[in-house]
Amino acid sequence: MAPLFLPHPRLDELIRLLLAQGFAVIGPRVREGMIAYGEIAAAAELPWGWHDAQGPGFYRLTRSDAPRCFAWANGPQAIKPFLFAPQETLWRAEKKDGCLVFTPVTPAPRPLAFLGVRACDLAAATIQDRVFLGQAVVDPYYAARSEELFVISVNCTHPAATCFCASTGDGPQATAGFDISLTELDDGFLAEVGTQAGRDLLAALHLAPATAAQQAEAAQALAHAAQVQTRALPGRNLAAALFSRLEHPRWDWVAQRCLACGNCTQVCPTCFCHAEEDRPALDGSGTVHERRWDSCFSAGHAWLHGFQVRPEIRHRYRQWLLHKLAGWHEQFGRSGCVGCGRCIAACPVGIDLTEEVAALLAEADHGG
């Protein structure tokens, strides 16, 4: 199906169609000084005219009269929290008639339609699917939230200075995982179909085909978005090179700056570590068993049977980077990094993953 053209004024029709089909539409909004996903009911709620500036430990929004609503790079929030809840109850236990009764708590989410998902986050969602759905035991909580989704991606034409998705092969153009893919121009969107559901939705809008000039403009914008990325990883599979540098002095150097705050893991769209704990009622009537996001930078994450596996920050940073860029190849057949750059902007001291990898690989041999 040839690309269609969706004028900006008709974006509301697309949103109304999704709402009429029973979806809660989740799109980007300006909130508390950042662009983050939330429920929207109209195109006017999108971040029209907003731009971002990002760097190591830096994120700011600015506004102009530009006629676009996606002229920015991803903010701190991915779509991960909508599928893998930051905190949720797994089951309850209550005293009843002299017995202890256990009750599972299964989420009953509404169907979600994501509007504006970037290519890096689609790649991250595919990795999360492998973690929660592709194992011998399927996670019922993630599965319930993933059961009925409609995804409209927006190709990234305004990468931040922290982006490096071109080097990981995950952007700036979405190639899979969407129902409809949009590329924004000044007066509307080039719309491409990914699934039959996407085809049906666009057919209901009776859009005109995109012109050759519009297609050329979109292709040029995407090529430019890849070319202007100044950060990069030096390869797609760094497992052997990184595992051979377990005792590299760079781990000590980065540990002098790292605060072990865990910001990088909280904003990462692929991190999946979590902890479980019981919260008993004060009156002893029962308890709830909860799951919440955890971080390999926390002391509790590496506490095993009475001793600390990773007692120093250098051990925790090494664990995070090596698992993300090396261990994942064995687990999931690819790196755990999609090049979104969130960890760079969210780090309060500006530690740059690409800079650390370059430093680790710069010298010939630091075998450990």
Side-chain angles (χ1 to χ4, degrees):
M1 183 175 177
L4 304 172
F5 183 70
L6 172 65
H8 275 142
R10 298 195 61 192
L11 190 55
D12 263 328
E13 294 179 48
L14 178 70
I15 293 173
R16 285 198 294 269
L17 282 174
L18 292 167
L19 293 171
Q21 292 180 15
F23 289 103
V25 179
I26 307 298
R29 306 171 304 174
V30 174
R31 187 187 69 191
E32 298 176 351
M34 66 178 182
I35 294 176
Y37 290 101
E39 190 164 346
I40 63 170
E45 299 178 62
L46 296 170
W48 294 93
W50 286 96
H51 310 282
D52 63 315
Q54 300 190 45
F58 180 84
Y59 177 91
R60 294 288 187 278
L61 291 181
T62 58
R63 196 168 192 184
S64 73
D65 294 328
R68 301 192 181 200
C69 53
F70 289 96
W72 42 268
N74 267 329
Q77 183 205 39
I79 62 171
K80 184 175 79 171
F82 294 92
L83 305 177
F84 172 32
Q87 184 170 359
E88 64 183 325
T89 299
L90 304 185
W91 48 262
R92 303 178 187 278
E94 297 173 289
K95 286 182 178 177
K96 202 169 187 179
D97 300 328
C99 300
L100 198 57
V101 178
F102 292 84
T103 307
V105 178
T106 305
R110 289 183 295 167
L112 299 181
F114 290 111
L115 171 60
V117 184
R118 300 305 172 91
C120 55
D121 281 345
L122 287 179
T126 301
I127 294 174
Q128 293 259 300
D129 284 352
R130 293 182 195 172
V131 173
F132 292 106
L133 305 177
Q135 309 294 315
V137 178
V138 171
D139 185 277
Y141 308 93
Y142 185 93
R145 295 189 177 91
S146 305
E147 189 171 350
E148 198 169 354
L149 300 179
F150 191 94
V151 177
I152 301 175
S153 65
V154 172
N155 293 317
C156 185
T157 55
H158 291 71
T162 48
C163 292
F164 53 99
C165 63
S167 71
T168 65
D170 297 305
Q173 182 174 10
T175 57
F178 56 82
D179 295 289
I180 295 173
S181 176
L182 303 178
T183 304
E184 188 173 34
L185 307 176
D186 277 347
D187 52 353
F189 302 91
L190 204 75
E192 298 174 89
V193 166
T195 64
Q196 185 60 48
R199 184 187 302 273
D200 293 343
L201 193 71
L202 289 181
L205 292 171
H206 304 291
L207 301 174
T211 66
Q214 288 167 334
Q215 295 183 52
E217 183 182 350
Q220 185 177 12
L222 291 172
H224 179 72
Q227 292 166 358
V228 298
Q229 293 185 20
T230 57
R231 287 180 163 80
L233 288 176
R236 301 277 172 87
N237 189 342
L238 305 173
L242 290 172
F243 278 138
S244 70
R245 287 160 170 80
L246 294 178
E247 300 304 328
H248 196 292
R250 187 73 181 189
W251 303 119
D252 292 314
W253 195 82
V254 72
Q256 293 176 17
R257 295 177 291 149
C258 178
L259 306 177
C261 65
N263 272 11
C264 50
T265 59
Q266 300 304 296
V267 298
C268 177
T270 67
C271 277
F272 57 85
C273 286
H274 54 270
E276 296 183 16
E277 62 183 7
D278 294 304
R279 293 185 179 275
L282 291 177
D283 62 2
S285 61
T287 185
V288 293
H289 188 77
E290 292 187 339
R291 174 169 76 179
R292 57 174 171 74
W293 290 2
D294 202 355
S295 169
C296 49
F297 285 89
S298 71
H301 187 271
W303 184 258
L304 292 179
H305 298 289
F307 75 102
Q308 179 57 252
V309 178
R310 293 183 284 274
E312 301 176 18
I313 289 180
R314 68 186 179 98
H315 300 137
R316 297 173 192 173
Y317 188 87
R318 186 178 67 183
Q319 159 68 20
W320 174 70
L321 190 143
L322 288 183
H323 189 212
K324 185 75 65 185
L325 299 182
W328 283 51
H329 286 279
E330 184 174 341
Q331 279 184 285
F332 305 112
R334 61 153 294 167
S335 161
C337 179
V338 295
C340 68
R342 288 186 174 97
C343 58
I344 301 172
C347 177
V349 297
I351 294 174
D352 180 344
L353 172 75
T354 62
E355 180 184 339
E356 296 311 312
V357 171
L360 285 163
L361 301 184
E363 298 177 36
D365 183 18
H366 281 280

